[in-house]
Each structure stands twice: as C-alpha cells, then as structure tokens.
Amino acid sequence: MVIESFIGASILALIHLFAGSLRFLDVIPRSRWLSIAGGVAVAYAFVHLLPELQQHHEILRTTIAANSFQSLAEHLLWLMVLSGLVLFYGLEKLAIRSKTKSGESTTPAFWLHIVSYAIYNALLGYLLVREDRGLRSLSFYLVGIGLHFLVNDHGLRQHHRQRYHRAGRWILSAAVLAGWGVGVSTELHEAWTASTIAFLSGGILLNTFKEELPEERESRFWAFALGAFSYAGLLLVA
C-alpha cells in the first residue's frame, strides 16, 4: 500500500496547490460546492473517525493506567478532541483580530497559522499509511480529507491572500508529504495514532463549522446537509 498511499498524499498536496484556481468558489452566497464539501468532512469525522477511537480506547487506557494515571486514561481521547477544537478556534480568532486595513493578517499571525496547519496536514499525511488502511478505507479517507482541505484552503486564502498564495500553500502541500514520509519510515505506538485521530477529529469539526456558520457568508444549509448525509450513508453501507 506504499505506492497507493503516496499517490493519495500527492493528491492531497495538489489540492492546496491548485484549489485557488477554482474561482467559482469565491462567491457570496457561499458556493454550494464548499457547503457540500464541509458536510462530507463532518460526516467523515462523526461516522468514521470518532467511532474508530473506541477501538483504540482500551489500548490507550491500559498504557496510561500502567503509569498510575487512571482518571486521565479514561478521558484522554476526548480531551484530545477538545484540544483540537479549541486550538483551531483560537487560531481563527487570532487571524480575524490581526487583520490589517488591506484585509490581510499580520506576518506573525500568518506564520503561526501556517505552522499550525502544517502540523495538522502532516498528521493527516501520517494517517494515510496506518497499517490497517486498505484500498477502500484509503479511498474514503481521500474523499473526506480532500474535500476538507478544499474548505481549509479557501478559508486560509481569505485570511492571508497573496501571502498564502506565495508561500502558505506550498508549505501545507509539503507538510502532507512529510507526514506521509514519517508514516512510511517510522512505526509509532498505537496510543500515538489514537491521540492523533482524536486531535484531528476536533480540528476537522471546528475548521468546517467556522467556515459554514458565519452569517455573512450566507452558507447553503441544504447543500451542507446533502453532503453530510449522503457521505454518511456511503460510509455506513460500504
């Protein structure tokens, strides 16, 4: 599956490089395609990633409990979900508050945003090569995360504009491939994988909802619902 996962990582990297060419997404009311993509990403998090955490809970609980942190062991996964959500909420507020009169964020805010999302992308690249990921699972992953990248890329372009086009998109694309490289070359403990999935689940939920909920974007509820329930149905019957 190394070749297949490399192709998958390359596809995800290309989304960041070329998503800016999809000019039809830059409209108000919000493009129905972005709302559908957001719905798909949320469905993937709720129907696939979060339930998958239950499979890892016992291993993580046993690992931590062995070090006399029983109470922490029972709740660590959900604390990681919360951490992902809170972190990216904080980054969004920072980007909004740091905007200058030109509409771009400040240089420090840009780099903090990009470094954080680079780590986020690297973790998602790492998950491409988990041992239990077959071709079908890889395909669902690429659709769910690929559309999530499309939504993220659109939001980052709105915040950082030309600075993101010149540097940010290249860094985020490279981060996906770097994470894939770590996954291929390194065998990490399952507790790390479980914590990564939990953190990313929180990040996916927040990054999707922050793009859909602001009233000024006039998001398409029915398109979002269509994407969410259609993809959830595919995940359940596959």
Side-chain angles (χ1 to χ4, degrees):
M1 289 298 294
V2 174
I3 295 177
E4 291 89 341
S5 65
F6 176 72
I7 294 173
S10 299
I11 291 172
L12 293 180
L14 289 172
I15 290 173
H16 277 303
L17 290 183
F18 295 105
S21 301
L22 304 177
R23 299 300 184 186
F24 64 89
L25 298 179
D26 299 326
V27 295
I28 298 293
R30 185 171 174 80
S31 168
R32 61 176 55 88
W33 298 110
L34 282 176
S35 290
I36 289 173
V40 169
V42 166
Y44 188 76
F46 272 115
V47 179
H48 185 80
L49 290 180
L50 289 175
E52 189 175 352
L53 292 178
Q54 298 299 328
Q55 303 175 18
H56 300 282
H57 178 71
E58 184 58 30
I59 291 176
L60 190 61
R61 188 187 66 80
T62 302
T63 300
I64 299 177
N67 294 315
S68 303
F69 296 104
Q70 182 68 40
S71 178
L72 176 62
E74 294 295 335
H75 303 288
L76 180 59
L77 282 180
W78 305 111
L79 287 172
M80 292 300 295
V81 175
L82 179 63
S83 297
L85 192 151
V86 170
L87 173 64
F88 285 98
Y89 177 65
L91 289 171
E92 180 68 10
K93 297 296 287 186
L94 173 66
I96 293 172
R97 291 179 178 177
S98 67
K99 282 190 176 181
T100 62
K101 291 181 179 180
S102 66
E104 281 188 319
S105 60
T106 61
T107 299
F110 167 75
W111 284 111
L112 181 59
H113 227 173
I114 292 303
V115 169
S116 299
Y117 274 91
I119 295 171
Y120 181 79
N121 280 13
L123 293 174
L124 287 165
Y126 160 74
L127 288 185
L128 271 170
V129 288
R130 292 175 50 234
E131 292 182 0
D132 62 344
R133 191 176 296 288
L135 185 59
R136 185 180 67 176
S137 175
L138 178 63
S139 299
F140 278 116
Y141 186 85
L142 289 178
V143 172
I145 301 305
L147 291 176
H148 177 57
F149 275 10
L150 185 65
V151 173
N152 278 357
D153 192 274
H154 185 264
L156 289 167
R157 287 179 188 277
Q158 297 300 307
H159 283 312
H160 306 299
R161 303 192 179 184
Q162 285 303 311
R163 190 181 284 128
Y164 177 80
H165 183 76
R166 290 193 303 268
R169 64 189 179 119
W170 295 97
I171 294 171
L172 297 191
S173 296
V176 178
L177 297 174
W180 173 85
V182 172
V184 168
S185 60
T186 307
E187 185 174 349
L188 301 177
H189 194 280
E190 190 170 355
W192 163 257
T193 300
S195 299
T196 299
I197 293 173
F199 176 80
L200 291 173
S201 296
I204 289 171
L205 294 175
L206 188 283
N207 283 321
T208 301
F209 286 131
K210 75 177 176 61
E211 295 297 325
E212 287 293 319
L213 292 180
E215 184 176 351
E216 66 272 13
R217 293 182 182 170
E218 301 180 38
S219 298
R220 315 270 191 163
F221 168 75
W222 291 111
F224 180 86
L226 175 64
F229 286 112
S230 297
Y231 199 67
L234 285 175
L235 289 171
L236 291 173
V237 302

